[in-house]
């Protein structure tokens, strides 16, 4: 069975209730006026550790056996999963090692270390970092908790969808970030169980949009990871993907890609018009609306998934500077 059920998502909500907090859903006057229909923002960047990733990581850690807890957990991350996993592990007295590539911004590395986890920097991609994860599992008996393609991770992320549907039951459209697919798989499963006719749009960046490329190919394939303002959406979906590829394929209506310029504009909009500080990955849903690539005809929700942006970079962007993080390619 490659699909996670709403029952699993409901069980996850009960399991993680004492760690995470439900995040607000608020109307956006500016986007509602722009789109000529009600647009709501799900402020998940206000979650503990600054992103939705805490939900899945907590659900996975709390689902471990006593023996697995004793041997510790390891994961590969572009930042937010590592931060969430490190937090969940520390809360439960579990050793945690996070493996990351050189593409991960320093502020995200520092954020993980601040949660008490060991960080190991390996290579130029998540695939490079995964090699060290595999070694730790094989040689030290640690349990790998992957960032997206895992039932407990997907079920935990799906709790965002339950909260969204309960806050705005009349929703006709939801815009959700898509990278490895853990978030959109869980959210789509939850939303479709509550609002069967809802239109679900995945949003990613143009540079290295792994799930989009794999869906076009009809199967998981290797996709080069590239520098982008939406750094948390970087990385492949895994050639042996078992859950998020089929769930995204079956539950998501379309995927829209946004440019680096559009992502920067969305970060500016979030700050100046919505009073929200969000990172590039959290801003892609706003970018899809602001660029008119998505035009809702009824009540719509845009998920703001993370806020862990380097504040000096944020300052440059909101001040109008043309920040090009792609120059290192």
């Amino acid at each position: 069975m490659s699909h996670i059920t709403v029952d699993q998502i409901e069980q996850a909500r009960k399991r993680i209730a004492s760690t995470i907090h439900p995040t607000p859903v608020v109307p956006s006057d500016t986007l509602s006026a722009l789109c000529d229909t009600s647009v709501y923002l799900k402020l998940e960047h206000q979650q503990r550790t600054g992103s939705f990733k805490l939900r899945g990581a907590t659900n996975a850690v709390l689902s471990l056996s006593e023996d697995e807890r004793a041997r510790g957990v390891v994961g590969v991350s572009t930042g937010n999963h590592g931060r969430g996993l490190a937090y969940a592990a520390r809360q439960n007295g579990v050793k945690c090692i996070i493996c990351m590539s050189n593409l991960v911004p320093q502020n995200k590395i520092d954020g993980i270390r601040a949660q008490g986890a060991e960080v190991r920097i390996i290579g130029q991609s998540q695939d490079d970092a995964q090699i060290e994860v595999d070694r730790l599992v094989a040689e030290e008996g640690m349990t790998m908790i992957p960032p997206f393609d895992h039932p407990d991770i997907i079920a935990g992320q799906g709790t965002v969808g339950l909260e969204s549907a309960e806050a705005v039951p009349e929703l006709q459209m939801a815009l959700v970030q898509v990278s490895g697919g853990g978030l959109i798989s869980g959210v789509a499963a939850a939303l479709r169980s509550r609002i069967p006719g809802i239109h679900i749009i995945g949003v990613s960046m143009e540079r290295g949009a792994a799930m989009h490329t794999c869906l076009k190919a009809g199967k998981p394939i290797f996709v080069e990871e590239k520098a982008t303002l939406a750094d948390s959406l970087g990385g492949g979906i895994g050639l042996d993907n078992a859950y998020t590829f089929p769930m995204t394929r079956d539950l998501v209506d379309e995927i829209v890609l946004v440019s680096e310029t559009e992502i920067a504009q969305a970060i500016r909009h979030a700050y100046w018009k919505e009073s929200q500080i969000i990172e590039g990955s959290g801003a892609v849903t706003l970018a899809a609306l602001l660029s008119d690539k998505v035009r809702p005809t009824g009540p719509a929700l845009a998920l703001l998934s993370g806020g862990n942006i380097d504040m000096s970079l944020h300052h440059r962007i909101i001040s109008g500077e043309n920040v090009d993080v792609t120059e290192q390619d």
Side-chain angles (χ1 to χ4, degrees):
M1 173 60 180
S2 59
H3 282 213
I4 305 308
T5 67
V6 71
D7 288 341
Q8 290 169 279
I9 298 170
E10 289 281 15
Q11 290 164 12
R13 176 150 70 168
K14 293 173 186 168
R15 195 176 289 122
I16 68 178
S18 63
T19 298
I20 68 104
H21 62 84
T23 49
V25 175
V26 300
S28 167
D29 293 340
T30 53
L31 289 172
S32 296
L34 177 71
C35 298
D36 200 28
T37 189
S38 299
V39 176
Y40 299 86
L41 305 178
K42 173 65 167 165
L43 307 183
E44 186 61 16
H45 62 297
Q46 295 182 4
Q47 187 59 257
R48 290 191 180 102
T49 74
S51 91
F52 71 93
K53 289 286 192 176
L54 182 62
R55 296 173 184 259
T58 300
N59 191 43
V61 168
L62 292 177
S63 299
L64 293 171
S65 67
E66 285 303 314
D67 181 52
E68 287 170 331
R69 288 191 189 203
R71 285 181 281 138
V73 296
V74 61
V76 64
S77 175
T78 52
N80 288 335
H81 171 63
R83 201 167 184 152
L85 183 56
Y87 182 95
R90 186 173 69 170
Q91 291 293 106
N92 291 279
V94 176
K95 175 186 175 183
C96 179
I97 298 175
I98 303 297
C99 301
M100 313 175 83
S101 83
N102 281 295
L103 289 180
V104 177
Q106 187 64 41
N107 72 298
K108 296 198 171 180
I109 296 169
D110 295 342
I112 292 169
R113 287 188 172 132
Q115 297 296 343
E118 178 185 341
V119 176
R120 297 186 183 179
I121 306 298
I122 299 103
Q124 294 299 318
S125 71
Q126 283 205 87
D127 292 334
D128 292 340
Q130 184 67 44
I131 295 170
E132 175 68 3
V133 172
D134 294 341
R135 188 192 69 77
L136 288 166
V137 171
E139 297 181 12
E140 300 187 23
M142 300 184 79
T143 296
M144 181 182 75
I145 297 184
F148 49 87
D149 195 40
H150 187 286
D152 295 333
I153 295 289
I154 297 166
Q157 319 307 29
T159 59
V160 174
L162 294 179
E163 290 174 18
S164 300
E166 287 160 6
V168 193
E170 69 273 21
L171 277 181
Q172 294 181 21
M173 175 185 286
L175 291 87
V176 182
Q177 289 75 5
V178 60
S179 175
L183 175 63
I184 202 166
S185 293
V187 169
L191 286 175
R192 291 209 181 282
S193 74
R194 297 290 186 263
I195 311 171
I198 193 167
H199 190 79
I200 297 175
I201 299 177
V203 190
S204 195
M205 66 291 178
E206 291 175 351
R207 296 177 54 79
M211 183 65 77
H212 175 72
T213 305
C214 293
L215 289 170
K216 285 205 301 182
K219 62 180 181 180
I221 61 172
F222 173 77
V223 179
E224 183 185 358
E225 193 171 341
K226 298 182 178 181
T228 171
L229 283 171
D231 53 88
S232 290
L233 301 184
I237 72 166
L239 296 180
D240 56 351
N241 187 292
Y243 296 95
T244 63
F245 177 79
M247 287 186 72
T248 305
R249 178 192 63 208
D250 297 344
L251 300 177
V252 177
D253 292 293
E254 60 180 302
I255 293 181
V256 171
L257 304 182
V258 292
S259 70
E260 297 299 301
T261 300
E262 289 162 346
I263 294 169
Q265 184 56 42
I267 293 172
R268 288 186 198 106
H269 171 92
Y271 183 78
W272 293 112
K273 301 295 185 182
E274 313 289 351
S275 301
Q276 304 297 330
I277 295 174
I278 57 175
E279 61 185 282
S281 60
V284 296
T285 51
L286 297 184
L289 292 170
L290 292 166
S291 64
D292 208 28
K293 289 180 174 175
V294 173
R295 305 186 78 168
T297 56
L301 180 135
L303 175 60
L304 307 186
S305 58
N308 294 320
I309 188 170
D310 178 90
M311 290 310 295
S312 61
L313 173 64
H314 186 268
H315 179 75
R316 290 165 60 200
I317 292 171
I318 64 166
S319 300
E321 185 177 331
N322 180 23
V323 178
D324 187 359
V325 299
T326 70
E327 290 175 342
Q328 62 186 276
D329 281 7

